[in-house]
Amino acid sequence: MVNKKKYFYNLYKNIKNKKAVVGVVGVGYVGIQLLLQFKKKNIKTIGFDRDKIKLDKLIKGISPFSYISDKKIRSLKNQSFYTEKYENISLCDVIIICLPTPIKKNTKPDLSAIENTLKKIKKFIKKGQLIILESTTYPGTTRDIIGNNLKKFKLGEDLFLSYSPERENPGSAVPFNKVNKITSGYSKNCSILSELLYKKIVNSVEVAGSLEEAEMTKLLENIYRSVNIGLVNELKMICLAMKIDINKIIKLASTKPFGFSAFYPGPGVGGHCIPIDPYYLYWRAKKFGQEAKFIKIAGEINIKTTQWTIKNIAKIISKNKTTKRKKVLILGLAYKKNIEDIRESAGIKILQSLSKMKFVVDFSDPHVDRNDSLFKKLVGRSKNIDINKNIKNYDCVVLVTDHDAFNYKMIIKFSKILIDTRNRIYRKDNFFRL
Ligand code: SAJ
């Protein structure tokens, strides 16, 4: 009996006395936060990532993340980072996988990052380790894609497996340790070990009854947002046709102290979670003979919202007969305010579509990484301009992402035509809210 439990007791002891080494695979916005939080508790960590440039910066104490200071990154100074030297996985007692889970062109789940990395680390996984997946994915992934690929182990006995959804929200004012963490386990002992680990870095841990419950919880959290944002975006289009201000309606509805949470219309939904997650559930539900119609339509409405926004911007500018070749300035390309992330961003889609029409389109965004090669490819010949000097040169200014850093007084004063897609500003003349 003792033999069967020796791995469990050994790992339990090491996690409890903070001797367990935590490996983080994928040092993105989720992984970096875990490294910082474990470091804060003097728990030894190892970071693995394929991005050598990013790791070199981290080792030099330079933050690759606009919302994390260099000073904070320097706290990781004697941190070990490896660019895919996966043999060092065997130095870890816990391995937390924080890899991207995008969708393919056909909107099917793309788990290639997890599958390919697992293939590389598999031979270095050893008895007595706890493996935790944090990536957002459909129910069944941890068991099927990870568990079923580690058959040489006795899961729950000599190898432990857990799923714990990431709740990292870059730029959020809520401190990491105050965000409850959901965790789970392939077996009871897996749950116990995972809960013990996360209790080192967050105040409260909720243990789900299964891996699938924990995976589904994350999808509910994010699809709830997708559906509610889709609702207000659809209502926005209806209200505009009825000459009703949707933002006033939301404000009035928000006076109800129960049964209503406010969401706000925008130019469409961006990011790595909200536009993507519904497709993970839609795809998985089909495997169980279920058609998630409502979820699918909400995602479609959010996509339609960006197309509707583009059409209306073009219409407003074309109506204005001042000059032939209209010059348009897009304010904010990140997918939401005060961060640099441009994934699935409405701003990029609007810039690209207007550029394909007869407009000259430039942008201003203080957060995006202008040297990022993907970013340069996405914006093409559009220039990132200093609005304080150049705003008057544009026939139309469109506020797409309402970063706090913008000088809104100046924007209101000097924009010829001003379009606001975020209900952030107002003026009487030559002003349109979409
Ligand atoms: N958006 C709207 N109207 C809204 C809220 C958001 O148009 O009322 C747009 C945003 O502009 C953005 C997109 O939707 O383009 C997604 O916004 P988001 O606030 O949901 O931000 P995300 O994608 O960063 O979502 C994350 C999620 N966190 C994690 O997955 C760990 C989500 O669960 C959080 O609730 C959300 O942050 C948050 O609270 O901001």
Side-chain angles (χ1 to χ4, degrees), residues 185-197:
Y186 178 90
S187 71
K188 179 84 184 120
N189 281 349
C190 301
S191 287
I192 291 169
L193 291 168
S194 184
E195 182 186 11
L196 184 69
L197 176 82

Side-chain angles (χ1 to χ4, degrees), residues 374-388:
L374 169 69
F375 179 72
K376 283 182 178 166
K377 199 159 137 269
L378 289 171
V379 299
R381 285 178 299 170
S382 297
K383 295 189 292 303
N384 189 1
I385 68 121
D386 172 351
I387 47 175
N388 296 304

Side-chain angles (χ1 to χ4, degrees), residues 173-189:
V174 182
F176 183 90
N177 65 333
K178 295 248 183 313
V179 180
N180 296 5
K181 197 84 164 81
I182 306 282
T183 190
S184 64
Y186 178 90
S187 71
K188 179 84 184 120
N189 281 349

Side-chain angles (χ1 to χ4, degrees), residues 10 32 41 50 55 100 112 131 147 149 151 166 202 223 242 274 279 296 304 309 311 350-351 371 374 380 416 430:
N10 193 33
I32 188 65
K41 301 293 180 185
R50 66 178 187 185
L55 294 193
S112 57
I131 299 176
N149 269 302
K151 289 270 187 217
E166 59 93 356
V202 297
I223 293 172
M242 295 179 170
I274 313 305
Y279 290 108
K296 185 163 186 266
K304 180 187 146 196
T309 304
K311 190 161 87 5
I350 293 171
L351 178 140
N371 303 319
L374 169 69
K416 288 177 187 146
N430 280 330

Side-chain angles (χ1 to χ4, degrees), residues 166-169 218 222 225 264 270 274 335-336 422:
E166 59 93 356
R167 281 182 166 173
E168 172 56 19
N169 185 28
K218 174 67 180 177
N222 284 1
R225 292 183 73 75
Y264 302 95
I274 313 305
Y335 77 79
K336 71 176 180 180
R422 293 287 185 171

